Amino acid sequence: MSANRNVADMAQARASSSVDAAKLQVFLWGEREWEARQRVESVLAKDPLFEKSSRSFLTRSQMYYRALAMTNRLHELQEIHRWSPEEVNIAFKLVDEPLPIALHMAAFEPVIRTQGSPELKQKYSELIAQRGILGCYLQTELGHGTNVASLETTATYIPETHEFEIHSPTLTSSKWWIGALGKTATHGVVQARLILPPGKDVGPHLFLVQLRSLDDHKVLPGITIGDIGPKAMGGYSAVDNGYASFDHVRIPREQMLSGFASVTPDGQYVQPPHAKLSYGGMLYIRSSMVSSGGWTIARGATIAIRYATVRRQGNKGPDGLERQVITYPSVYYRLLPILSHAYVFILLGRNLTKAFGEMTSRLTSGDTSLLAEMHATTSGLKVLISTTAIQDLETARRSMGGHGFSDFAGVGRLYADYVPAATYEGDNFVLDQQVVRAALKAFDALVVKKTRSVNELTPSTLYLRHLATSSSPPSSSLNWNKPENVIALLERRAAAMVQERAQDLRDPDASADQRVSRAVTEAFVAAQVGEIIKSLEETVASKEATVLRKLYNLHLLVAAEGGLVDILSFGLLGPSASGGDPTRELRLAIKRHCEELLPEAIGLSDGFGFTDWELDSALGVYDGNVYENLWKRAQSEPLNTSEVTEGYERYIKPMLERGQRRIARAKL
Amino acid sequence: MSANRNVADMAQARASSSVDAAKLQVFLWGEREWEARQRVESVLAKDPLFEKSSRSFLTRSQMYYRALAMTNRLHELQEIHRWSPEEVNIAFKLVDEPLPIALHMAAFEPVIRTQGSPELKQKYSELIAQRGILGCYLQTELGHGTNVASLETTATYIPETHEFEIHSPTLTSSKWWIGALGKTATHGVVQARLILPPGKDVGPHLFLVQLRSLDDHKVLPGITIGDIGPKAMGGYSAVDNGYASFDHVRIPREQMLSGFASVTPDGQYVQPPHAKLSYGGMLYIRSSMVSSGGWTIARGATIAIRYATVRRQGNKGPDGLERQVITYPSVYYRLLPILSHAYVFILLGRNLTKAFGEMTSRLTSGDTSLLAEMHATTSGLKVLISTTAIQDLETARRSMGGHGFSDFAGVGRLYADYVPAATYEGDNFVLDQQVVRAALKAFDALVVKKTRSVNELTPSTLYLRHLATSSSPPSSSLNWNKPENVIALLERRAAAMVQERAQDLRDPDASADQRVSRAVTEAFVAAQVGEIIKSLEETVASKEATVLRKLYNLHLLVAAEGGLVDILSFGLLGPSASGGDPTRELRLAIKRHCEELLPEAIGLSDGFGFTDWELDSALGVYDGNVYENLWKRAQSEPLNTSEVTEGYERYIKPMLERGQRRIARAKL
């Protein structure tokens, strides 16, 4: 088979798409960001320092140095091109790998901004913004993760000197997993139990601690610091996740982050006005995980769809060619839903960012009314998106058959870097419980205590309104092409599950929280998708709107299929029109949607606007020339530098000679 | 928290298990293998060459050299300790990582043995057995994988010289992914389309080709060979998966593997007696994947269960200690089913090996009657086991929260090495189709054409017998504690699905084959589990039998839960006794089984008999001392060799200075 066949197949697929990729790029990125992105990308893609394909052959130390070099270079480029902070952020997004500096930007800087006292901010904000110091955020300990209340590190106030003494009393109290702590950060915000005289423990609070000298980067006295070693599957390889233990380290009183709670010079505790005011940062990170999860899925989907378009396998058609693998139902049934997830989560994330802005500005004026809603929403979404994205990346990788297991395919790398999302920023199984707790509370107010009316339901609990209306099972089969039907079905399922969960309160089954949390979150997402579909006419041209409507509808159908156990067990599906298996109509609707979307798959994935440099995948190249790319990349493998391996003289030759000797001996 | 707490928790858990680990070890391994294993292990674990924990810090080239060194050393040890071939195999299993030599042992050697002519075997068998030559098996090409019929490499017979000319006509015909080809193998069995004069293509056949000189290991003229580069997530890192292309390479006629088909000196084709006789090797590899999948799950389960036993997190109990995480329903609900999968697949694999032996001895005498059955069984099992094991490893890893993402946890490595099982040896989605085809054929014979009676059903199609009996839905709820009920339910589900698939023949939904294949295979496995349960009284002591019965029953219940969509949509579940959700009883039965098995979890995982050396996991250590192990391992991280990183002078310092400069400038 000629490699040009691949290129012809890709060109053909592109020509037969009815959508305009450029219009979709603006739809997904927004006009302003899309333009800035192209501007910044043209700078980075030319710079050899940002070359991505060499990563396959680097050690962890080399990956770390490369990350530092890129970070330093980005700050140089910022000056050269007079990039705005927004453009710098875009540059970091384009680099698209976990970097130590990310912890400075996403954790250290925001926590000081939101929880530091005015004096502390006055002293440090500019230093932090200009990278005059580099920070990290020390929460997790060797023995404690999600359960912050049990952290062991202490910060004991010494009224005599107006200092706090930071101390790690045990091995398990060592801070562990802290990004950028191992070798990079000069400062850190340490979470420690505040102990006030005469020994009163008032629980975890935050303290700014200098870790390394600004003169020579040596670790300051009393502190032990190191890197915690490599991560599973080579993920996060460039990040120096580190450990630290503190041996009675003193810091001035002013370095407590006392934007909310504080300690008076004589050691009196001043209560925070609202205990939850400090949740903002955590919610910000979780809410930003929605669109980043969407973009991660987008990468996997683009690579897998492009490869499945040019890969041919199976029986030969009348043209003498084997079938393009994307035309197999078992393949498109896997890839098109992934595409729909990406399109949903990207838009959902954008809406969430807006809602987060609204909440923050209210919080500033002491109004915490949106906090609980944001907390419930982001917890559920964090679980749903991370679980979905991990699964989608693996599905994408596996859809590529053998070649998907090559590092050059690029999806394994995405997977390894993405997979900790299920356990960081709140373990998914802990968050599930929080989602269920919020749902039960809303159920209790609406149905049991009747202290809240249907009109007072928030978006995250709106599905509960179905409990207030009569809910006799439908007498005829659903029209699966109408999004409102599928949304209502997903909402009724969530309502029924919460109701059942409330009934089984004292003896839930072992996976109940996980299932209820998922149902509740899927109902919320479905309603949001409904809004997105309604707004399509205004946000995108009509040709694209037609295709996107199908794609968003596919998302709803696939969610319904995933919820079938619940839907069936609550009798929420009417009988099939044909009298047969009522789930078959749903599955055929999915198949029809996929068939109609199939010619648009390349156009829709081009809509993400990824360049070859960004994707860094031999199988996901824009022009489809996958085999030549695989071949070319293999030539750089270090094992290929010599025709005969170093291992020959030392190991292979002795083995062959031993074997031949044995035979000679046997023949004697 | 004291690290000794971990050790105390583990000792306590071990003491409260009612099973005797030693008895389980014999039950799982068989007495003979278990003893041999301990003997061989005591040699390897002492030898520094087989030290495993250093792997975390090695480059791919170093991993490859280490693999060669271990292989060479194993052959030395074989001579020193006069190990039998069985003991050598055990040694390789104990090393437990993908090695180049595995392809010699599992592919090259068997294909010559089963398909070589007597002359070829006479010439090469001893050389191969003694490693006087090292081989590989060249099937997959850059452009073609599972669909062997479309391979492009040619072997053209030249009657004048009695030679074949092996040739790669295109880039895509390059052999690709071939284990041990890149740098190790001296010889290979090449699959190529046989072209007979005057140009007749008789499809793929096998040819033994020397690849490298036995004098200096240089690649022979006309052949281009290299390593294809790193694999995703660092998997298979020590194996030199390679590529090769052939430029009109001549080999003597005798080097065709003509045990079945052959070519006469003047170029006439001699038909194989039975086209399927050559399938044996493939079936052997697939059938061996059943127990190896089970043992892989066993490793993940042992690590995760041990860690969950000593990890404490959450609210404090009356003893002032947080809860052991294994006591959370969301955790044990994930880990105990995994344990049950391991126990099922290990025993199932052993039975399959016996059946395979029976089939092979019949094949030798030309009796192919067992071939179709073995083919259907192994295809379905290969899909079910690889899918399950991949999922179980990721579930185990994720159950460990943040620390599960450390390379030192060891489960990421298991995952990366295991994950290609879904796409090699027959892509799972292709195998699904074969399973469905076999099921439809049996259905057709039994129900439509009525050419076969219920008594003639083979084990792999026995579930179809339910179609011949009246199948009114049960009027009352099932007793989930009786395995026979759950087995019948899973069988009825498979039968109903095959029947529906036959009805929808012309328009199946897009995931139909995957679901039907799974249902059919799960019915087969369930019946096998029923047999295992029945035989427990004879195979193990009664205390262990009681616990194992629960564990095997849990396997059945979890399979039923996984099949609920089908079970509900076919109305196979009677109403719940309480009149509520009928699935709740099943889920509560799962919870009860888990609760009863919880005190046995450590005993059951000790039953696999893994040593710390074998598992090589900081979180899976036998004594539970996980935190000290994590700490100790981190000290070896190369980034920790200097207090101040190399990257400081080059990148961090310039960045800090630039930041401070900017601030100074702003203040002017």
Side-chain angles (χ1 to χ4, degrees):
Chain A
M1 194 175 108
S2 150
N4 290 337
R5 176 75 253 160
N6 297 148
V7 175
D9 280 341
M10 184 60 87
Q12 168 66 35
R14 203 157 268 137
S16 67
S17 282
S18 70
V19 291
D20 179 349
K23 290 207 178 104
L24 294 174
Q25 285 150 3
V26 170
F27 170 74
L28 290 169
W29 290 104
E31 192 155 0
R32 196 184 140 89
E33 181 161 358
W34 175 241
E35 277 177 12
R37 206 177 146 77
Q38 287 175 289
R39 209 162 46 239
V40 174
E41 205 251 347
S42 70
V43 174
L44 299 189
K46 278 198 297 258
D47 193 319
L49 206 54
F50 297 95
E51 200 268 332
K52 293 174 189 263
S53 69
S54 63
R55 290 179 298 182
S56 297
F57 311 114
L58 301 182
T59 64
R60 240 206 98 200
S61 295
Q62 291 167 330
M63 284 290 283
Y64 172 66
Y65 302 141
R66 178 175 171 274
L68 293 180
M70 290 194 298
T71 306
N72 184 40
R73 180 73 183 143
L74 279 177
H75 290 113
E76 275 174 21
L77 290 171
Q78 177 185 13
E79 293 199 336
I80 295 170
H81 298 282
R82 299 174 181 278
W83 281 341
S84 67
E86 195 199 345
E87 286 166 317
V88 174
N89 273 334
I90 289 173
F92 276 107
K93 274 201 228 165
L94 279 162
V95 167
D96 186 47
E97 19 178 311
L99 300 177
I101 191 78
L103 287 303
H104 178 97
M105 296 161 74
F108 183 69
E109 191 160 24
V111 80
I112 299 269
R113 187 175 60 235
T114 55
Q115 302 198 44
S117 65
E119 299 72 30
L120 198 77
K121 285 197 267 192
Q122 166 74 15
K123 188 167 169 195
Y124 286 101
S125 292
E126 260 314 282
L127 266 173
I128 294 170
Q130 301 300 342
R131 304 359 180 186
I133 63 175
L134 294 173
C136 61
Y137 180 65
L138 300 91
Q139 176 172 307
T140 306
E141 297 175 354
L142 190 47
H144 290 97
T146 301
N147 184 24
V148 179
S150 290
L151 292 174
E152 295 179 81
T153 306
T154 52
T156 307
Y157 186 63
I158 318 285
E160 293 71 23
T161 59
H162 296 180
E163 287 174 311
F164 294 102
E165 192 175 85
I166 310 289
H167 186 61
S168 313
T170 57
L171 173 73
T172 51
S173 70
S174 310
K175 295 295 177 183
W176 202 266
W177 276 109
I178 315 305
L181 168 62
K183 310 308 288 184
T184 315
T186 59
H187 289 67
V189 169
V190 177
Q191 194 148 42
R193 320 185 61 78
L194 173 56
I195 313 288
L196 292 176
K200 190 185 166 207
D201 181 340
V202 292
H205 287 72
L206 301 174
F207 304 86
L208 176 62
V209 181
Q210 182 169 352
L211 305 168
R212 287 176 179 269
S213 155
L214 287 174
D215 296 326
D216 57 10
H217 214 56
K218 286 209 169 135
V219 177
L220 295 186
I223 308 178
T224 305
I225 284 184
D227 182 283
I228 65 160
K231 272 73 71 175
M233 302 171 278
Y236 268 67
S237 134
V239 179
D240 53 328
N241 295 84
Y243 62 83
S245 91
F246 299 92
D247 182 9
H248 302 92
V249 173
R250 297 278 182 105
I251 59 167
R253 190 183 66 94
E254 293 71 25
Q255 288 187 207
M256 174 168 167
L257 271 61
S258 27
F260 301 118
S262 60
V263 172
T264 62
D266 62 341
Q268 300 303 308
Y269 187 62
V270 182
Q271 290 273 2
H274 188 295
K276 288 176 181 165
L277 277 177
S278 60
Y279 284 8
M282 185 179 68
L283 296 187
Y284 172 75
I285 295 185
R286 281 188 201 154
S287 76
S288 72
M289 285 176 74
V290 176
S291 45
S292 71
W295 284 112
T296 303
I297 297 173
R299 284 165 194 276
T302 303
I303 294 170
I305 287 172
R306 286 183 179 167
Y307 178 63
T309 300
V310 301
R311 175 76 168 179
R312 287 175 173 273
Q313 197 84 215
N315 296 332
K316 289 181 180 166
D319 55 2
L321 295 170
E322 294 171 275
R323 261 171 86 170
Q324 290 167 275
V325 302
I326 199 167
T327 64
Y328 288 100
S330 65
V331 174
Y332 66 61
Y333 169 75
R334 283 182 278 166
L335 295 182
L336 295 177
I338 296 182
L339 195 62
S340 81
H341 295 162
Y343 268 82
V344 166
F345 295 153
I346 289 168
L347 283 226
L348 205 59
R350 197 189 300 160
N351 296 344
L352 208 61
T353 308
K354 273 185 220 148
F356 188 83
E358 167 74 11
M359 183 200 73
T360 312
S361 70
R362 288 215 207 169
L363 270 188
T364 319
S365 55
D367 171 1
T368 58
S369 61
L370 294 179
L371 200 57
E373 172 73 1
M374 184 56 89
H375 188 263
T377 311
T378 55
S379 302
L381 285 175
K382 190 268 179 182
V383 176
L384 180 69
I385 272 107
S386 60
T387 311
T388 306
I390 289 172
Q391 196 175 302
D392 285 355
L393 287 176
E394 174 58 11
T395 301
R397 198 194 61 70
R398 228 182 276 183
S399 80
M400 297 190 284
H403 289 327
F405 188 54
S406 168
D407 185 63
F408 305 142
V411 180
R413 177 184 300 276
L414 285 175
Y415 184 86
D417 281 341
Y418 189 78
V419 87
T423 42
Y424 64 49
E425 299 305 334
D427 189 286
N428 282 358
F429 287 87
V430 176
L431 295 179
D432 280 337
Q433 291 166 26
Q434 297 177 1
V435 173
V436 172
R437 207 172 300 141
L440 288 175
K441 200 172 150 191
F443 174 85
D444 198 53
L446 181 78
V447 177
V448 184
K449 300 216 184 74
K450 297 190 197 293
T451 51
R452 208 193 285 181
S453 76
V454 169
N455 298 331
E456 290 168 291
L457 289 172
T458 59
S460 74
T461 52
L462 203 55
Y463 62 90
L464 288 173
R465 74 181 185 282
H466 292 276
L467 294 176
T469 59
S470 74
S471 65
S472 58
S475 55
S476 66
S477 60
L478 275 185
N479 180 345
W480 293 106
N481 294 319
K482 294 198 170 170
E484 58 273 28
N485 291 346
V486 192
I487 295 166
L489 182 65
L490 287 165
E491 288 181 331
R492 289 213 307 279
R493 164 209 184 205
M497 289 183 73
V498 171
Q499 188 165 36
E500 191 191 48
R501 181 70 182 75
Q503 280 159 8
D504 302 337
L505 210 52
R506 267 162 304 162
D507 190 17
D509 67 78
S511 63
D513 284 353
Q514 198 189 342
R515 287 179 295 115
V516 172
S517 165
R518 188 174 182 105
V520 162
T521 310
E522 286 183 337
F524 171 76
V525 172
Q528 298 286 313
V529 170
E531 297 303 313
I532 293 173
I533 292 176
K534 275 185 211 153
S535 68
L536 280 176
E537 291 299 348
E538 298 144 37
T539 47
V540 74
S542 81
K543 222 191 295 172
E544 285 70 30
T546 309
V547 173
L548 288 177
R549 204 171 294 116
K550 261 176 228 155
L551 187 68
Y552 285 115
N553 214 20
L554 177 63
H555 179 99
L556 296 171
L557 294 173
V558 170
E561 194 195 10
L564 270 178
V565 172
D566 315 323
I567 290 169
L568 292 172
S569 76
F570 289 109
L572 301 176
L573 260 194
S576 141
S578 65
D581 176 1
T583 64
R584 177 160 158 81
E585 281 177 5
L586 167 58
R587 293 205 174 100
L588 284 182
I590 292 175
K591 189 180 180 190
R592 304 292 172 248
H593 273 73
C594 286
E595 285 167 346
E596 291 174 26
L597 285 165
L598 202 51
E600 312 293 350
I602 286 295
L604 286 166
S605 50
D606 284 350
F608 298 122
F610 297 124
T611 64
D612 285 350
W613 169 77
E614 265 183 281
L615 284 183
D616 184 35
S617 161
L619 303 187
V621 285
Y622 184 81
D623 69 1
N625 199 3
V626 298
Y627 299 125
E628 284 192 16
N629 267 283
L630 272 180
W631 180 279
K632 228 171 75 187
R633 288 202 182 210
Q635 305 314 310
S636 313
E637 161 61 46
L639 283 172
N640 289 335
T641 45
S642 63
E643 182 182 336
V644 174
T645 171
E646 274 186 48
Y648 172 66
E649 285 292 334
R650 280 148 70 203
Y651 310 116
I652 296 178
K653 196 174 173 188
M655 210 157 19
L656 294 170
E657 286 178 350
R658 183 184 310 112
Q660 281 152 7
R661 231 174 22 238
R662 282 186 194 168
I663 290 171
R665 219 184 297 146
K667 280 190 183 149
L668 288 177
Chain B
M1 191 175 109
S2 151
N4 290 340
R5 177 76 253 159
N6 298 149
V7 175
D9 281 339
M10 183 62 85
Q12 168 65 35
R14 201 158 270 135
S16 67
S17 282
S18 70
V19 290
D20 178 349
K23 290 208 178 102
L24 294 173
Q25 286 150 2
V26 170
F27 170 73
L28 290 169
W29 290 105
E31 192 155 2
R32 195 183 141 88
E33 181 161 356
W34 175 241
E35 278 176 10
R37 207 178 146 77
Q38 288 175 287
R39 208 160 49 237
V40 174
E41 205 252 346
S42 70
V43 174
L44 298 189
K46 279 198 296 258
D47 193 317
L49 205 55
F50 296 95
E51 199 270 332
K52 293 173 190 263
S53 69
S54 63
R55 292 179 297 181
S56 296
F57 311 113
L58 301 182
T59 64
R60 240 206 98 201
S61 295
Q62 290 168 329
M63 283 290 284
Y64 172 67
Y65 301 141
R66 177 174 171 276
L68 293 180
M70 290 194 299
T71 307
N72 184 41
R73 179 73 182 143
L74 279 177
H75 290 113
E76 275 174 24
L77 290 170
Q78 177 186 14
E79 294 200 335
I80 296 170
H81 299 280
R82 298 174 186 276
W83 281 341
S84 67
E86 196 199 343
E87 286 167 317
V88 174
N89 274 334
I90 288 173
F92 277 107
K93 274 201 228 165
L94 280 162
V95 168
D96 186 47
E97 25 178 305
L99 301 177
I101 192 78
L103 287 303
H104 179 96
M105 296 161 73
F108 183 69
E109 191 159 24
V111 80
I112 300 268
R113 185 175 61 236
T114 56
Q115 304 199 44
S117 66
E119 299 73 30
L120 198 77
K121 286 196 267 192
Q122 164 74 16
K123 190 166 168 193
Y124 287 101
S125 292
E126 261 312 284
L127 266 173
I128 294 170
Q130 301 299 341
R131 296 15 173 178
I133 62 175
L134 293 173
C136 60
Y137 180 66
L138 301 91
Q139 175 172 308
T140 306
E141 297 176 356
L142 189 47
H144 289 96
T146 303
N147 183 23
V148 179
S150 289
L151 292 174
E152 295 180 80
T153 306
T154 52
T156 307
Y157 186 63
I158 318 286
E160 293 72 25
T161 59
H162 295 179
E163 289 174 312
F164 294 102
E165 192 175 87
I166 310 289
H167 186 61
S168 313
T170 57
L171 172 72
T172 51
S173 70
S174 310
K175 295 295 177 183
W176 202 266
W177 276 110
I178 314 306
L181 168 62
K183 310 306 291 182
T184 314
T186 59
H187 289 66
V189 170
V190 177
Q191 193 148 42
R193 320 185 62 76
L194 173 57
I195 313 288
L196 292 175
K200 191 185 164 205
D201 181 340
V202 292
H205 287 72
L206 300 174
F207 304 86
L208 176 61
V209 181
Q210 182 170 354
L211 304 168
R212 289 177 178 268
S213 156
L214 287 174
D215 296 324
D216 56 12
H217 214 55
K218 285 207 169 137
V219 177
L220 295 186
I223 308 179
T224 306
I225 283 184
D227 182 283
I228 65 161
K231 271 74 71 175
M233 303 170 281
Y236 268 66
S237 139
V239 178
D240 53 330
N241 295 86
Y243 63 81
S245 93
F246 299 92
D247 182 9
H248 301 94
V249 173
R250 296 279 182 104
I251 59 166
R253 190 183 68 95
E254 292 72 25
Q255 288 187 208
M256 175 169 167
L257 271 62
S258 28
F260 300 118
S262 60
V263 172
T264 62
D266 62 342
Q268 300 302 308
Y269 187 63
V270 181
Q271 290 273 4
H274 189 294
K276 288 174 180 163
L277 278 178
S278 60
Y279 286 7
M282 186 178 67
L283 296 187
Y284 171 74
I285 294 185
R286 280 188 203 154
S287 74
S288 72
M289 285 176 74
V290 175
S291 45
S292 72
W295 284 112
T296 303
I297 297 173
R299 283 164 194 275
T302 303
I303 294 170
I305 287 172
R306 286 182 179 169
Y307 178 63
T309 299
V310 301
R311 174 77 168 179
R312 288 177 173 270
Q313 197 83 214
N315 297 330
K316 289 181 181 168
D319 54 1
L321 294 170
E322 295 171 273
R323 260 172 87 169
Q324 290 168 276
V325 303
I326 200 166
T327 64
Y328 288 100
S330 65
V331 174
Y332 66 62
Y333 168 75
R334 285 182 276 166
L335 294 182
L336 296 176
I338 296 182
L339 195 63
S340 80
H341 295 161
Y343 267 83
V344 166
F345 296 152
I346 289 169
L347 282 228
L348 205 58
R350 196 192 299 161
N351 295 345
L352 207 61
T353 307
K354 272 185 219 148
F356 188 83
E358 167 74 10
M359 183 200 75
T360 310
S361 70
R362 288 217 207 166
L363 270 187
T364 318
S365 56
D367 172 0
T368 59
S369 61
L370 294 178
L371 201 55
E373 172 73 0
M374 185 55 97
H375 189 262
T377 310
T378 55
S379 302
L381 285 175
K382 190 266 178 185
V383 176
L384 180 69
I385 272 108
S386 59
T387 310
T388 306
I390 290 172
Q391 196 177 300
D392 286 354
L393 288 177
E394 174 56 13
T395 301
R397 198 193 61 70
R398 228 182 276 183
S399 79
M400 297 190 284
H403 289 327
F405 188 54
S406 167
D407 186 63
F408 304 142
V411 180
R413 178 184 301 275
L414 284 176
Y415 184 85
D417 281 341
Y418 189 77
V419 87
T423 43
Y424 65 48
E425 298 305 331
D427 188 286
N428 282 359
F429 287 88
V430 176
L431 294 179
D432 281 336
Q433 292 165 27
Q434 297 177 2
V435 173
V436 172
R437 207 172 300 141
L440 288 174
K441 201 171 148 190
F443 175 83
D444 198 53
L446 181 78
V447 177
V448 184
K449 297 215 185 74
K450 298 190 196 293
T451 50
R452 209 193 284 180
S453 75
V454 169
N455 298 332
E456 290 167 292
L457 290 172
T458 59
S460 74
T461 53
L462 204 56
Y463 61 90
L464 288 172
R465 74 181 185 281
H466 292 277
L467 294 175
T469 59
S470 73
S471 65
S472 58
S475 55
S476 66
S477 60
L478 276 186
N479 180 343
W480 294 106
N481 294 319
K482 295 198 169 170
E484 58 272 28
N485 291 345
V486 193
I487 295 166
L489 182 65
L490 287 165
E491 288 182 331
R492 289 213 307 278
R493 164 210 185 204
M497 288 184 74
V498 170
Q499 187 165 37
E500 190 192 48
R501 181 70 181 77
Q503 281 159 6
D504 303 336
L505 209 53
R506 269 162 304 161
D507 190 18
D509 67 78
S511 63
D513 283 353
Q514 199 190 337
R515 285 179 295 114
V516 173
S517 165
R518 189 175 181 103
V520 162
T521 310
E522 286 184 337
F524 171 77
V525 172
Q528 299 285 313
V529 170
E531 296 304 312
I532 293 173
I533 292 175
K534 274 184 214 153
S535 68
L536 280 176
E537 291 298 349
E538 298 144 37
T539 48
V540 74
S542 82
K543 221 191 295 171
E544 285 69 31
T546 308
V547 173
L548 288 177
R549 203 172 295 115
K550 261 177 227 154
L551 187 68
Y552 284 115
N553 213 20
L554 176 64
H555 180 99
L556 295 171
L557 294 172
V558 170
E561 193 195 11
L564 270 179
V565 173
D566 314 324
I567 290 168
L568 292 172
S569 77
F570 289 109
L572 300 176
L573 260 195
S576 140
S578 65
D581 175 0
T583 63
R584 178 163 156 80
E585 281 178 6
L586 167 58
R587 293 206 174 99
L588 284 182
I590 290 176
K591 190 180 179 188
R592 304 291 172 249
H593 273 74
C594 287
E595 285 167 345
E596 289 174 29
L597 285 165
L598 203 49
E600 313 292 350
I602 286 295
L604 286 166
S605 50
D606 285 349
F608 299 123
F610 297 124
T611 64
D612 285 350
W613 169 77
E614 266 184 281
L615 284 183
D616 183 36
S617 162
L619 303 186
V621 285
Y622 185 82
D623 67 2
N625 199 2
V626 298
Y627 299 125
E628 283 193 15
N629 267 283
L630 273 179
W631 180 281
K632 226 172 77 187
R633 289 204 182 209
Q635 306 313 312
S636 313
E637 161 62 44
L639 282 172
N640 289 335
T641 44
S642 63
E643 180 183 338
V644 175
T645 170
E646 272 187 48
Y648 172 65
E649 285 292 333
R650 279 147 71 203
Y651 311 116
I652 295 178
K653 196 174 173 190
M655 210 158 19
L656 294 170
E657 286 178 348
R658 184 183 310 113
Q660 281 152 6
R661 231 172 23 237
R662 282 186 193 168
I663 290 170
R665 221 184 297 147
K667 281 189 182 150
L668 288 178

